[in-house]
Amino acid sequence: MRFAFVLLALAAAAAGTTGCCRKKAPPRPYDPTPLASPKSSGPAVTPNVRWGPVQAYIEGTGATCTASVDGTSYSLAFAKMPEGTKLRAEGQETVVGADGTGTVKMDMGEVLGAMTPAEAFDYKTKAGPASKVKVTYPNKVELDIEPAPQTLYRKLRDGYDKLKDSQPLTFGKEPPVAPGQRTILFFAILNPEMIGPGKTLREADWVAMGEKLPARTGKMCSGYKPVSGTGPALSYPLEMVDEEVVIYDRKAGTVVDKKTFKAADRCPMFTSNGHATSYANSEEVKRWLRARRTGGR
């Protein structure tokens, strides 16, 4: 019993000198300054590149590059790259700034110009530039990035729409067009059509695009059956939608000619959401385009 009492006394003395009686250190004041990190000079070895649908990941570095298409232009936007990294493509060089970003642009004109409209405007078609991007890090490590093909459909059409703002659209090196050999790419209701001898986008030196005009009110159209199939016949005022068709010189970005085509003064067989609408005759538009292609009116 005496031995046990001595052990308990020693334990109590130890606790009193080490635990509850030690003075706590004051809390450190909050410092809003972020922790500093040394600037990277680049990876030690050439990293691998892994592409997703539109973004590439430069593995082991945290950096990315994102692809985008605008008309015939293909861009790669880099992020989280070391400052001073050089990005070179098609003879043009961009140096990454202190924010770690940089963008390079490449031309897809040669690739797209050789396509037919059916190929280029198929929603499944993807394409990219033929050249690569050379990345040179500050520590001299080099990396070649092959741009991943991207979907064209909507972005290529955007390039043609810029003709409305007098911006030319070219497809690489293009030969001059012989007199009388004009080819018109006509953006019809469903799919673009070629009018003339040309087959590819590069060979269509003129572009025709239509724009629907505000509807004009015409006569009353009657005799339409209700959707339910029962009840009195319905009547609606005819809404005539005219169309202005403009021909552009693709390589110059200028207007060649334009004409307004009147909607038919004829009631349609069917109505849509309570509207009886008539439109311009597409065959009449094509006849005019064929005549203008060869110098006629």
Side-chain angles (χ1 to χ4, degrees):
M1 292 294 293
R2 184 178 181 182
F3 178 67
F5 176 80
V6 173
L7 287 178
L8 290 173
L10 290 174
T17 56
T18 59
C20 63
C21 296
R22 175 175 293 180
K23 189 175 182 181
K24 293 183 179 180
R28 297 177 61 184
Y30 171 68
D31 183 1
T33 306
L35 295 176
S37 58
K39 291 185 178 180
S40 171
S41 62
V45 295
T46 301
N48 293 322
V49 176
R50 175 171 53 87
W51 271 101
V54 298
Q55 191 174 63
Y57 302 86
I58 304 176
E59 296 183 341
T61 69
T64 61
C65 62
T66 304
S68 61
V69 175
D70 181 12
T72 62
S73 177
Y74 184 108
S75 299
L76 277 183
F78 288 78
K80 298 182 180 179
M81 298 288 287
E83 182 181 0
T85 301
K86 297 178 180 179
L87 312 171
R88 188 173 182 83
E90 298 182 351
Q92 302 295 320
E93 184 176 273
T94 298
V95 179
V96 173
D99 61 355
T101 66
T103 300
V104 290
K105 293 186 177 182
M106 291 159 281
D107 183 60
M108 294 196 299
E110 292 291 343
V111 175
L112 299 179
M115 292 184 180
T116 65
E119 294 169 336
F121 290 98
D122 187 318
Y123 73 96
K124 296 181 181 179
T125 299
K126 293 183 177 183
S131 56
K132 296 181 180 181
V133 177
K134 178 171 285 296
V135 178
T136 304
Y137 290 97
N139 64 357
K140 307 305 180 183
V141 170
E142 293 185 338
L143 168 66
D144 287 334
I145 296 181
E146 184 172 352
Q150 298 297 312
T151 302
L152 301 175
Y153 176 70
R154 183 63 253 178
K155 297 301 183 179
L156 179 58
R157 176 57 195 266
D158 289 344
Y160 279 98
D161 285 340
K162 290 180 181 179
L163 290 168
K164 300 175 183 178
D165 298 322
S166 302
Q167 295 187 32
L169 179 66
T170 56
F171 296 103
K173 297 178 181 178
E174 301 193 62
V177 179
Q181 294 297 308
R182 300 288 184 186
T183 295
I184 301 175
L185 177 63
F186 173 43
F187 282 95
I189 296 176
L190 296 177
N191 298 305
E193 300 179 23
M194 296 286 265
I195 297 177
K199 304 297 181 186
T200 66
L201 297 183
R202 182 181 288 114
E203 294 171 316
D205 52 314
W206 284 1
V207 177
M209 289 185 281
E211 181 176 349
K212 300 290 191 297
L213 301 179
R216 297 181 290 115
T217 302
K219 60 188 178 182
M220 289 297 297
C221 296
S222 58
Y224 295 104
K225 293 183 179 180
V227 176
S228 62
T230 60
L234 303 174
S235 299
Y236 303 100
L238 178 62
E239 300 176 10
M240 296 183 289
V241 180
D242 302 332
E243 184 174 8
E244 183 182 64
V245 179
V246 182
I247 302 175
Y248 298 92
D249 185 311
R250 175 176 58 79
K251 290 184 281 187
T254 55
V255 174
V256 176
D257 202 353
K258 59 183 176 181
K259 184 175 180 180
T260 298
F261 294 85
K262 298 292 185 179
D265 186 15
R266 182 173 61 251
C267 293
M269 184 174 295
F270 302 98
T271 63
S272 176
N273 296 322
H275 295 275
T277 310
S278 67
Y279 299 94
N281 189 312
S282 60
E283 290 303 318
E284 183 182 348
V285 174
K286 292 179 187 178
R287 285 194 293 271
W288 176 67
L289 294 177
R290 293 188 191 102
R292 289 297 293 114
R293 185 186 73 79
T294 55
R297 303 302 299 182

